[in-house]
Amino acid sequence: MSRQMVRPGGRSARVQAAVHTAVRELEAELGRDGLTVPLIAQRAEVTPSTIYRRWGDLAQLLSDVAVERLRPDTAPQDHGGLASDLTAWAEQFLDEMASPAGRAYIRDALLGDPDGSNAGQCSAYAADQVDVILTRAAGRGEDTPGVETVVDHVVAPLMYRILFRPAGLDAAHARGLVAGLLEGDAAEK
Amino acid sequence: MSRQMVRPGGRSARVQAAVHTAVRELEAELGRDGLTVPLIAQRAEVTPSTIYRRWGDLAQLLSDVAVERLRPDTAPQDHGGLASDLTAWAEQFLDEMASPAGRAYIRDALLGDPDGSNAGQCSAYAADQVDVILTRAAGRGEDTPGVETVVDHVVAPLMYRILFRPAGLDAAHARGLVAGLLEGDAAEK
DNA sequence: ACCTTAAAGCAAATTTCTAGCTTCTAGGGA
DNA sequence: TCCCTAGAAGCTAGAAATTTGCTTTAAGGT
């Protein structure tokens, strides 16, 4: 996480934690649009210039916080088979990401991310989850597609619609993507 | 185009044009990061408050300009067959969108877009282009997938990688996506 | 214990943003 | 054609934000 690893223990770490906490608290209290750097600084008991110097601006700070919140907190559930594992995961992914909150985090993560490292992190989270599912399936002796294939055929279409076409996204579509992937070319690559 | 249609002829239109032009000129001269509302206002010979009132903030103004620049200026080339038409289009799409400039426009378009209408417009541009290709192929009697299928299998994966995984994107990948789509399930839907 | 130095604090200067009020002008009606 | 009206644009002062130079603090190494 780019801007995170700064003098791991000690004052810097405390400031970072205080600022992140302040962002989350204020976001809950005032909503995404009520946030300002001076406000956050005050809540975190830090001077605004500290935030400007460490994060550059509000967008980059929010991007860092958003990535944290997009990190999956649990491993994908095991339903005993590749198809059901992937389907369940895709449905849950869609659920979390397509919610107003999820979309806000995705946008924030992309937004204040000059070098693309935060976006890359988000993508890595999804790829890791998928990898867990595929590895598990392979362990069972199932024929599995590659992670890249799943990302292209399931994750990407979902994310594209979330970002570019707010309407008409439901669990059925997610299921359809997984089904299309598995029947079409499960062994590819 | 959301904020564009304001008193089509007359002063408003002139102001809008002046502001958009100013954005493009200044972006060329100073780069994306040198832009500020007061600067743009000065170049456009307009008061800053006019920009704030009409667009809200810099992000929304840039979003409008970005969408304009993402509008395709020509119909997809006709290579005589669905496979080659789609392949060529995908390669060109990737080329334009994955360039630093293209990525900046996509980001800007998504960024200052509270209601998602600009993002929807971008998506519609791509869907329209694809539709032209598919309709043309159908006219030749070819078996074609639906627009949605092409969007899910080609456009979405490309866009996802452009946004989330800056590295490792090339024309070969675009070709592979099209090939996978056409051999796997050309008649689906 | 003592340096070194990255990072935080402070405060002044600058810039950007907001808001209230005035002026202009395109478009419509008499 | 000549008003009238309403939606924008202009102007300005005040509030809020961002930037910047300098000082102080405290981790981490010697």
Side-chain angles (χ1 to χ4, degrees):
Chain A
M1 228 144 313
S2 51
R3 285 168 287 277
Q4 228 99 274
M5 347 200 76
V6 193
R7 294 244 188 172
R11 185 161 65 157
S12 290
R14 279 198 305 279
V15 167
Q16 148 131 339
V19 169
H20 277 218
T21 300
V23 168
R24 280 191 282 265
E25 288 179 4
L26 289 170
E27 185 173 357
E29 293 169 25
L30 309 175
R32 170 70 171 66
D33 296 337
L35 300 178
T36 71
V37 171
L39 234 187
I40 293 165
Q42 183 182 37
R43 173 68 60 104
E45 298 185 295
V46 148
T47 60
S49 59
T50 293
I51 293 181
Y52 288 119
R53 280 214 241 269
R54 281 228 358 216
W55 282 278
D57 60 16
L58 181 61
Q60 292 181 66
L61 169 56
L62 292 183
S63 180
D64 276 1
V65 174
V67 171
E68 272 187 11
R69 307 187 81 154
L70 289 172
R71 171 166 43 226
D73 44 346
T74 67
Q77 283 190 279
D78 187 341
H79 291 85
L82 175 58
S84 46
D85 278 5
L86 260 189
T87 302
W89 179 81
E91 284 186 32
Q92 189 197 325
F93 180 81
L94 178 64
D95 230 52
E96 286 170 6
M97 297 302 193
S99 68
R103 302 188 22 189
Y105 295 142
I106 296 169
R107 285 171 49 95
D108 283 344
L110 282 174
L111 222 97
D113 187 24
D115 60 359
S117 60
N118 282 346
Q121 189 55 245
C122 292
S123 167
Y125 288 152
D128 284 351
Q129 296 276 95
V130 167
D131 192 46
V132 168
I133 291 175
L134 295 179
T135 303
R136 194 190 281 157
R140 293 190 195 103
E142 293 187 81
D143 220 21
T144 69
V147 178
E148 296 297 297
T149 306
V150 178
V151 168
D152 279 345
H153 288 52
V154 178
V155 180
L158 291 177
M159 198 55 99
Y160 180 80
R161 290 172 115 97
I162 288 170
L163 287 173
F164 291 93
R165 315 168 99 192
L169 245 186
D170 55 6
H173 190 253
R175 281 194 295 272
L177 288 170
V178 173
L181 164 69
L182 295 182
E183 72 190 36
D185 38 27
E188 157 185 322
K189 179 166 190 192
Chain B
M1 232 145 308
S2 51
R3 286 168 286 276
Q4 227 99 272
M5 345 200 79
V6 194
R7 295 243 188 170
R11 185 163 62 157
S12 290
R14 280 198 305 280
V15 167
Q16 148 130 342
V19 170
H20 277 218
T21 301
V23 168
R24 279 190 283 264
E25 289 179 4
L26 289 170
E27 185 173 357
E29 293 170 26
L30 311 175
R32 170 68 172 67
D33 296 336
L35 301 178
T36 71
V37 171
L39 233 187
I40 293 165
Q42 182 181 38
R43 172 68 61 103
E45 298 184 298
V46 148
T47 61
S49 58
T50 293
I51 294 181
Y52 289 120
R53 283 223 181 68
R54 285 231 351 223
W55 283 278
D57 60 15
L58 181 61
Q60 292 181 67
L61 169 55
L62 293 183
S63 180
D64 275 2
V65 174
V67 172
E68 272 186 14
R69 307 187 83 153
L70 290 171
R71 172 166 44 229
D73 44 346
T74 67
Q77 282 190 281
D78 188 340
H79 290 87
L82 175 60
S84 46
D85 278 6
L86 261 189
T87 302
W89 179 80
E91 284 185 30
Q92 190 197 326
F93 179 82
L94 178 63
D95 230 52
E96 287 171 6
M97 297 302 194
S99 69
R103 306 205 0 206
Y105 295 142
I106 295 170
R107 285 169 48 94
D108 283 344
L110 283 175
L111 221 96
D113 188 24
D115 60 358
S117 60
N118 282 346
Q121 188 56 245
C122 293
S123 167
Y125 288 152
D128 283 351
Q129 296 276 95
V130 168
D131 192 46
V132 168
I133 291 175
L134 296 179
T135 302
R136 194 191 279 155
R140 292 189 195 106
E142 293 187 80
D143 219 23
T144 69
V147 178
E148 297 297 297
T149 306
V150 178
V151 169
D152 278 346
H153 288 54
V154 179
V155 180
L158 292 177
M159 199 56 100
Y160 181 81
R161 289 172 115 96
I162 288 168
L163 287 173
F164 291 94
R165 314 169 98 192
L169 244 185
D170 56 5
H173 190 253
R175 281 194 295 273
L177 289 170
V178 174
L181 164 68
L182 294 181
E183 73 190 36
D185 39 24
E188 159 187 323
K189 183 170 187 190

